[in-house]
Amino acid sequence: MMSMPHGQSYDYHRTTFDGERNERCGCCVRTMKWFPVLFIASVIGWSYYAFVIQLSFFTVTNIVQRILFLLFYHAVLVMFLWSYYQTVFTDIGRVPSRFHVPRAELDRIVRATNEVEQKEILETFAKELPVVTRTLNASVRFCDKCRLIKPDRAHHCSVCGVCVLKLDHHCPWVNNCINFTNYKYFILFLGYALLYCVYVACSTIPYMELLWTGKIDGRFHILFLFFVSVMFAISLVSLFGYHVYLVLLNRTTLESFRTPIFRFGGPDKNGFSLGKLNNFQEVFGDDWRLWFVPVYTSMGDGVVYPMRCYDEDAEALLGGEQHGNRSGTENLHDFEAATFLNEYGNLMN
């Protein structure tokens, strides 16, 4: 909710000013943000040299074994790099324009004498929008930086400076928000990166003994390749496992720490969960042939999400249960929300 003294004019140019200020020092900042990505790219480039040249060509003597090594290595590498590219360069999911509060409504909010009146203005504007989550004080989720009503599961990213659809977190290693548009790519990137590291580590183990016993010339690239791949695999296995767990529960990282609050039923971490298979398909799509290919197959538009409890809520609201003490306007608003949920409830079927 906007907290602004009565009579104070709204600064419409604040966001523009912040953008211009960031742009003045943007060259250095943008370059520094790409350092983690350049580091990952450098490690991948070095590992390619170490595995293909030092290990496969200079160390492996069996031709058949060398061919098999290189075939599987390049297959995994292509999927790994493809997923990483998609994660880094896919545009973030921005909030549609219909969620932006018009200037006339902002002026009314500024002229409001108290927060209750501000809340009513936002409630009236949000009545036509498909939002079913609220703040702790049952208010509409409003971003005073972007001057918009936040869609369900959307949050403001302080790094990108905008509200992002189904924001999971901002990842410096990809210099991008992990959100509705690239979440599938991010999961595949973690999975293929883990497979890449495990394969490289397992391929170098037999030659570690030969290096240690001095049966082959000391190739420190192979030695470092083993330890680096093991180190990255250890860090990736927990991260990948955690995000697979979140996918199966249809929950973002933010939602795992900050439970979403629904207009119907209050706080519920499992409010968006539709069952493990449906949760998986919401991110990866319903065509199993494309599940593990880094192309866009996620279901929905990033704004509307089917809910686990929409059927029982709609039935309760249509029957008027547990609403005896509520006003006709509140019941009408809930009826419209229930109708909306019922309309989109078959999205995953």
Side-chain angles (χ1 to χ4, degrees), residues 199-215:
Y199 174 71
V200 168
C202 292
S203 300
T204 53
I205 286 178
Y207 301 95
M208 293 293 296
E209 181 182 356
L210 297 178
L211 283 171
W212 188 262
T213 57
K215 294 181 180 179

Side-chain angles (χ1 to χ4, degrees), residues 80-99:
F80 172 30
L81 292 178
W82 188 2
S83 302
Y84 188 54
Y85 177 88
Q86 292 283 62
T87 306
V88 173
F89 294 104
T90 298
D91 291 335
I92 58 176
R94 298 179 183 270
V95 177
S97 59
R98 70 180 187 272
F99 287 86

Side-chain angles (χ1 to χ4, degrees), residues 223-268:
L223 182 65
F224 290 145
L225 182 64
F226 172 77
F227 286 109
V228 169
S229 60
V230 169
M231 179 184 66
F232 274 95
I234 292 174
S235 62
L236 283 168
V237 68
S238 58
L239 185 60
F240 176 65
Y242 177 66
H243 278 281
V244 169
Y245 166 79
L246 292 180
V247 167
L248 295 179
L249 294 180
N250 204 337
R251 191 182 300 168
T252 65
T253 300
L254 286 176
E255 290 168 352
S256 66
F257 292 100
R258 187 189 308 166
T259 304
I261 303 173
F262 295 88
R263 185 177 180 85
F264 320 104
D268 186 0

Side-chain angles (χ1 to χ4, degrees), residues 142-163:
F142 176 75
C143 178
D144 59 353
K145 296 182 178 65
C146 299
R147 306 193 298 274
L148 55 78
I149 303 296
K150 295 180 183 178
D152 296 331
R153 315 187 82 175
H155 295 275
H156 186 85
C157 175
S158 58
V159 179
C160 296
V162 296
C163 286

Side-chain angles (χ1 to χ4, degrees), residues 332-348:
L332 178 60
H333 194 172
D334 285 349
F335 174 80
E336 291 170 346
T339 304
F340 163 79
L341 290 173
N342 201 26
E343 178 182 358
Y344 285 94
N346 295 321
L347 177 63
M348 301 303 298

